[in-house]
C-alpha cells in the first residue's frame, strides 16, 4: 500500500521548486558530516536579504516551513536546511549538542555563500538558532524564534514534562505509535485536528527515522541550571509565539524577553499553539515579514 506521506513529499518538493528553491548537499567537514538544504539559486539582484528557516524536532525543513517558503521567496534568498539526522543530513560525530548542530549549520551556510542573514528557528531549531547567533554574530544579523528557549535547563525540562504529563522528552517527541503521535499533535496544537489512522501511521514511518541518534539529541539538549547562562546577543530578536503554546508557554516567552534585553520584542498570536506557523500561517507570515522588513530598512535606510 502506498505511504501517503511519502507520496506527498514529491508534490511538496515540486511546489518548493516552483518557488525557485533547489536542493543542495554540503560536505561540512570532509569527514562524513553532510547537510542537505533547499535554497534559491543566485538571484539576478544580488542584494536580496537572506533568510534561513530552521525546523523543529518532529519534521524536516520543507515540511515544517511549507507555508512560509513561497511567501518569503518573493523577496528574500531562502535557505531551508535539514539539521543533522533529519532529511538527508548525517554525521559520524558523537557530538549531539545544539552547539554542534549550530556549528555544522553555520559552516554549511558559509559554504553555500550565505552572508549576514536572518535566522528563523522553531522549537528545537530555535535552540540551535540561539547557539548560532551567539557563536556567529557576523553571520546571524537578526533572529526570529517561535516555541523555544535559549537553553533547555533541568528546571525548564522538568516543569514542562510535568505540565504536559509525560515522563521524558523522547516519550513526547519520538512517538512509536499512532496513539503517541496523536498525543503529540494534541499538545502541540490549539485546535483539535483530525486525521485518519492511516495518515498517522504513514507519518510515523516517514518522519521519525534515525531514532537512536534523535534520542541522543534529546539527551544532549538538557543542561544543568548552574551551567546555563543567557547570552548577550547583539541581534534584533523577535519572539513570535502561539498564545496557547502548551509546550513552551507564553509566560516562559515573557521571561525570556526580559532576560534577553532591549533588543528583543515579543509578539503573540491568538488561537494558536506550539505549531503557530502551521495553525495560523497567514498571521505568522505577516508578522514575520513585517519584522524582516523593519530589520532590512534599519540596516539599509536609503533603500
Amino acid at each position: 500500500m502506498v505511504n501517503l506521506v511519502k507520496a506527498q513529499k514529491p508534490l511538496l518538493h515540486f511546489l518548493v521548486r516552483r518557488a525557485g528553491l533547489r536542493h543542495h548537499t554540503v560536505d561540512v567537514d570532509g569527514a562524513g558530516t553532510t547537510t542537505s538544504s533547499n535554497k534559491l539559486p543566485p538571484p539576478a539582484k544580488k542584494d536580496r536579504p537572506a533568510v534561513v528557516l530552521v525546523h523543529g524536532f518532529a519534521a524536516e525543513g520543507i515540511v515544517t516551513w511549507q507555508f512560509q517558503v513561497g511567501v518569503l521567496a518573493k523577496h528574500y534568498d531562502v535557505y531551508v536546511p535539514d539539521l543533522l539526522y533529519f532529511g538527508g543530513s548525517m554525521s559520524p560525530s558523537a557530538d549531539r549538542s545544539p552547539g554542534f548542530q549550530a556549528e555544522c549549520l553555520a559552516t554549511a551556510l558559509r559554504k553555500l555563500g550565505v552572508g549576514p542573514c536572518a535566522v528563523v528557528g522553531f522549537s528545537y531549531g530555535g535552540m540551535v538558532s540561539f547557539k548560532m547567533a551567539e557563536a556567529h554574530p557576523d553571520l546571524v544579523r537578526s533572529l526570529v524564534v517561535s516555541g523555544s528557549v535559549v537553553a533547555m535547563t533541568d528546571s525548564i525540562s522538568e516543569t514542562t514534562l510535568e505540565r504536559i504529563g509525560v515522563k521524558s522528552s523522547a516519550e513526547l517527541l519520538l512517538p512509536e505509535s499512532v496513539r503517541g503521535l496523536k498525543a503529540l499533535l494534541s499538545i502541540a496544537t490549539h485546535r483539535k485536528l483530525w486525521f485518519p489512522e492511516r495518515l498517522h501511521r504513514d507519518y510515523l514511518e516517514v518522519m521519525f527515522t534515525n531514532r537512536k541518534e534523535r534520542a541522543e539529541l534529546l539527551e544532549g539538549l538538557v543542561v544543568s541550571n548552574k551551567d546555563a547562562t543567557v547570552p548577550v546577543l547583539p541581534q534584533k530578536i523577535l519572539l513570535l509565539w502561539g498564545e496557547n503554546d502548551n509546550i513552551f508557554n507564553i509566560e516562559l516567552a515573557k521571561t525570556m524577553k526580559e532576560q534577553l534585553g532591549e533588543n528583543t520584542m515579543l509578539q503573540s498570536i491568538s488561537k494558536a499553539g506550539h505549531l503557530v506557523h502551521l495553525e495560523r500561517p497567514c498571521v505568522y507570515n505577516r508578522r514575520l515579514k513585517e519584522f524582516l522588513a523593519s530589520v532590512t530598512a534599519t540596516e539599509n535606510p536609503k533603500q
Side-chain angles (χ1 to χ4, degrees):
M1 187 176 292
V2 175
N3 183 300
L4 297 177
V5 176
K6 188 179 293 185
Q8 183 216 15
K9 288 181 73 175
L11 174 60
L12 191 56
H13 283 275
F14 169 75
L15 295 174
V16 167
R17 288 195 299 273
R18 285 288 300 272
L21 277 73
R22 298 293 181 268
H23 184 266
H24 295 261
T25 299
V26 181
D27 183 348
V28 172
D29 58 5
T33 299
T34 59
T35 65
S36 62
S37 176
N38 289 275
K39 64 179 284 289
L40 285 170
K45 286 185 66 179
K46 296 186 178 181
D47 58 350
R48 297 205 330 167
V51 177
V52 180
L53 304 174
V54 189
H55 64 83
F57 208 83
E60 59 196 47
I62 288 299
V63 175
T64 299
W65 300 108
Q66 57 187 286
F67 296 135
Q68 283 70 48
V69 170
V71 173
L72 293 174
K74 296 175 182 177
H75 304 287
Y76 298 92
D77 290 344
V78 179
Y79 298 80
V80 191
D82 290 323
L83 296 172
L84 296 176
Y85 312 113
F86 297 85
S89 299
M90 299 296 292
S91 175
S93 172
D95 194 335
R96 300 289 187 261
S97 67
F100 182 67
Q101 290 271 24
E103 287 303 314
C104 291
L105 178 54
T107 299
L109 290 172
R110 293 186 194 278
K111 288 193 171 187
L112 287 170
V114 180
C117 59
V119 176
V120 185
F122 164 67
S123 197
Y124 176 67
M127 300 178 214
V128 174
S129 299
F130 273 125
K131 288 291 186 184
M132 189 163 68
E134 180 182 7
H136 300 276
D138 62 314
L139 178 64
V140 182
R141 66 171 187 168
S142 60
L143 191 59
V144 181
V145 172
S146 299
S148 190
V149 288
V150 175
M152 180 65 85
T153 62
D154 290 329
S155 57
I156 291 176
S157 177
E158 291 168 5
T159 301
T160 302
L161 294 177
E162 182 179 354
R163 185 178 66 251
I164 293 172
V166 295
K167 296 178 181 178
S168 69
S169 297
E171 181 184 338
L172 176 67
L173 296 173
L174 285 173
E176 297 182 357
S177 65
V178 168
R179 181 179 179 181
L181 180 56
K182 286 182 176 180
L184 172 58
L185 287 173
S186 177
I187 292 167
T189 56
H190 173 61
R191 302 171 186 174
K192 303 309 174 188
L193 305 176
W194 180 88
F195 298 105
E197 295 279 318
R198 180 184 170 189
L199 193 59
H200 285 96
R201 288 195 300 271
D202 290 351
Y203 192 91
L204 277 172
E205 179 184 337
V206 172
M207 288 298 164
F208 291 95
T209 57
N210 301 318
R211 284 181 170 270
K212 175 181 178 294
E213 291 83 0
R214 293 194 196 182
E216 292 167 351
L217 290 178
L218 291 175
E219 292 175 4
L221 201 57
V222 180
V223 298
S224 67
N225 292 328
K226 62 182 178 62
D227 293 334
T229 58
V230 177
V232 178
L233 299 176
Q235 296 92 346
K236 292 289 186 183
I237 302 172
L238 171 63
L239 304 177
L240 188 52
W241 234 253
E243 193 174 275
N244 307 102
D245 192 327
N246 290 319
I247 297 178
F248 297 118
N249 61 36
I250 192 69
E251 295 304 318
L252 193 60
K254 291 177 181 177
T255 299
M256 189 161 53
K257 176 189 178 300
E258 296 305 315
Q259 292 174 334
L260 288 169
E262 61 183 13
N263 284 338
T264 303
M265 67 177 73
L266 169 63
Q267 295 182 12
S268 62
I269 297 176
S270 63
K271 300 179 182 177
H274 190 65
L275 297 174
V276 56
H277 58 294
L278 296 175
E279 284 196 277
R280 302 205 64 191
C282 293
V283 179
Y284 185 93
N285 292 349
R286 184 173 71 248
R287 302 277 186 89
L288 175 59
K289 289 192 298 179
E290 287 171 355
F291 175 76
L292 295 175
S294 70
V295 171
T296 301
T298 300
E299 295 178 347
N300 305 286
K302 294 182 181 180
Q303 295 184 5

